[in-house]
């Protein structure tokens, strides 16, 4: 029983951390513009495609002699930095071309624009990889990331799992320092609170909004690289479901709240992983045979039911604040 619970907690923590990284991209943009950037799931997928291409070129082919090719962690660092630059730049272009002209339009209009950009990016990825004859992308993951590093109560912790936790911790620490302990962060928070007043105080709102999209896109790129190593089979639609779950995690934690996005990701990951493993409880409680019918395929349904129930009692999210409107 102890090993079973430990496995659920570890795996839930890992997948929840991944959701949290992606969710931060949603919550950063929403916190400043009150815009749900549905194209973020494809920005995140672009990071995975960048990882695929870099590991394809720089990593040794499967079956190559040990020690051949570049150091896998150096390749990972190159993939991570490249994905951050590419995805951050892509997010700035999306904001400049698709969102900024609609900034004063009714809120439904930018939302439709975001969905349109999402579909366009899916087809662009499909076109670029399809020209090479590749629709399904099998990432060439080095053995260093698939090898078991250590065990916790019979649960294998692989190289990619440890890397995921370390990168997430560094990114969250850096984001917290930037947003809460720097002049740029204060400017971003000022624009989020009152764009007009921030402009009167000499803050360039457009510049801060572009910077927010840059940071959100870079976080999406990091999430895409980690996702590609954790789940190394990609296609042009691989960003959709993780993107929806990450957005749900941001809502669960309190959309617009950075700590809320992290907490929401972890909670959603734990709930999902527990429901995916419920059928395994029949080995511990043999009389509960009905649990055999609950397969891992139903974990998404259960996770979203849990999400709905939580939001019924806490509509603003776990760490969100109830907004009041002045009339």
């Amino acid at each position: 029983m102890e090993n079973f619970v430990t496995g659920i907690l570890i795996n839930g923590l890992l997948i929840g951390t991944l959701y949290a990284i992606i969710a931060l991209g949603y919550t950063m943009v929403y916190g400043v513009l009150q815009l749900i950037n549905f194209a973020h799931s494809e920005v995140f997928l672009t990071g995975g495609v960048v990882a695929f291409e870099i590991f394809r070129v720089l990593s040794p082919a499967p079956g190559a002699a040990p020690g051949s090719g570049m150091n896998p962690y150096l390749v990972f660092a190159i993939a991570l930095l490249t994905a951050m630059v590419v995805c951050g730049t892509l997010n700035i272009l999306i904001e400049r071309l698709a969102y900024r002209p609609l900034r004063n339009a009714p809120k439904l209009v930018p939302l439709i624009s975001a969905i349109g950009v999402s579909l366009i990016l899916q087809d662009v990825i499909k076109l670029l990889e399809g020209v090479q004859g590749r629709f399904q992308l099998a990432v060439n993951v080095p053995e260093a990331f698939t090898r078991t590093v250590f065990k916790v109560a019979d649960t294998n912790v692989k190289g990619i799992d440890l890397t995921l936790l370390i990168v997430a911790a560094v990114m969250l620490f850096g984001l917290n320092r930037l947003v809460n302990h720097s002049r740029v962060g204060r400017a971003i928070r000022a624009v989020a609170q009152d764009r007009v007043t921030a402009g009167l105080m000499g803050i360039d709102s457009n510049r801060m909004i572009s910077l927010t999209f840059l940071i959100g896109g870079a976080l999406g790129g990091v999430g895409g690289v980690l996702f590609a190593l954790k789940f190394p089979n990609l296609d042009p639609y691989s960003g959709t479901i993780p993107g929806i779950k990450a957005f749900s995690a941001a809502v669960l934690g309190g959309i617009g709240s950075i700590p809320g996005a992290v907490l929401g990701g972890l909670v959603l990951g734990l709930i999902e992983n527990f429901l995916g493993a419920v059928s395994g409880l029949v080995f511990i409680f043999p009389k509960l045979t009905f649990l055999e019918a609950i397969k891992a395929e139903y974990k998404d349904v259960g996770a979203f039911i849990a999400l709905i129930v939580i939001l019924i009692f806490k509509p603003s999210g776990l760490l969100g604040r109830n907004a009041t409107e002045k009339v």
Side-chain angles (χ1 to χ4, degrees):
M1 180 65 175
E2 181 181 350
N3 291 347
F4 181 78
V5 173
T6 303
I8 290 176
L9 291 175
I10 292 175
N11 292 321
L13 174 64
L14 291 170
I15 193 66
T17 301
L18 187 57
Y19 290 156
I21 294 174
I22 306 170
L24 286 170
Y26 284 105
T27 209
M28 285 286 294
V29 170
Y30 185 87
V32 174
L33 283 182
Q34 281 70 56
L35 168 70
I36 300 171
N37 181 19
F38 279 119
H40 187 67
S41 57
E42 275 60 52
V43 173
F44 146 76
L45 175 60
T46 301
V49 174
V50 169
F52 164 78
E53 293 293 350
I54 288 180
F55 277 97
R56 180 179 66 85
V57 173
L58 299 181
S59 287
S68 61
M70 293 180 63
N71 182 287
Y73 290 101
L74 177 58
V75 178
F76 171 75
I78 294 172
L80 207 62
L81 293 174
T82 305
M84 291 175 70
V85 172
V86 170
C87 295
T89 304
L90 176 61
N91 225 24
I92 290 177
L93 291 175
I94 291 172
E95 187 275 329
R96 184 67 183 86
L97 300 176
Y99 298 154
R100 188 177 298 184
L102 304 174
R103 195 172 290 169
N104 297 319
K107 288 188 177 295
L108 186 61
V109 177
L111 180 63
I112 299 301
S113 178
I115 295 173
V117 171
S118 175
L119 296 175
I120 290 171
L121 289 177
Q122 283 183 2
D123 282 340
V124 168
I125 292 172
K126 189 191 308 181
L127 173 65
L128 293 177
E129 293 298 335
V131 168
Q132 305 296 326
R134 296 188 295 262
F135 187 81
Q136 297 285 342
L137 308 180
V139 181
N140 180 22
V141 182
E143 185 185 354
F145 293 103
T146 58
R147 185 189 309 129
T148 299
V149 179
F150 56 86
K151 289 188 176 184
V152 179
D154 291 336
T155 300
N156 293 331
V157 177
K158 298 180 179 179
I160 180 55
D161 300 328
L162 193 58
T163 303
L164 169 61
L165 293 176
I166 293 173
V167 171
V170 172
M171 297 298 296
L172 293 176
F173 176 79
L175 182 63
N176 177 67
R177 296 293 301 178
L178 175 66
V179 173
N180 296 315
H181 303 282
S182 70
R183 291 183 61 186
V184 170
R186 286 193 291 272
I188 291 175
R189 284 184 282 126
V191 172
Q193 186 171 359
D194 191 324
R195 198 184 312 162
V196 175
T197 304
L200 293 175
M201 296 174 65
I203 298 173
D204 188 337
S205 297
N206 285 332
R207 185 177 180 183
M208 290 302 105
I209 290 171
S210 294
L211 181 60
T212 301
F213 270 84
L214 173 65
I215 296 170
L219 289 169
V222 171
V225 173
L226 295 171
F227 181 84
L229 294 177
K230 181 73 175 171
F231 306 101
N233 293 308
L234 304 175
D235 62 53
Y237 311 107
S238 292
T240 303
I241 297 301
I244 291 174
K245 290 181 179 179
F247 170 67
S248 302
V251 174
L252 175 61
I255 189 72
S257 167
I258 292 176
V262 177
L263 179 61
L266 295 177
V267 170
L268 189 63
L270 288 169
I271 292 174
E272 177 184 308
N273 202 62
F274 172 77
L275 293 173
V278 159
S279 59
L281 288 173
V282 76
F283 297 105
I284 301 171
F285 305 105
K287 294 184 178 180
L288 302 180
T289 54
F290 69 92
L291 293 175
E292 293 180 337
I294 305 177
K295 304 297 183 183
E297 290 82 359
Y298 298 110
K299 68 179 185 297
D300 295 339
V301 176
F304 283 108
I305 290 175
L307 172 67
I308 292 170
V309 170
I310 292 172
L311 291 178
I312 287 174
F313 294 100
K314 194 74 167 64
S316 59
L318 297 174
L319 297 183
R321 297 180 181 178
N322 294 321
T324 57
E325 286 192 24
K326 296 180 180 180
V327 294

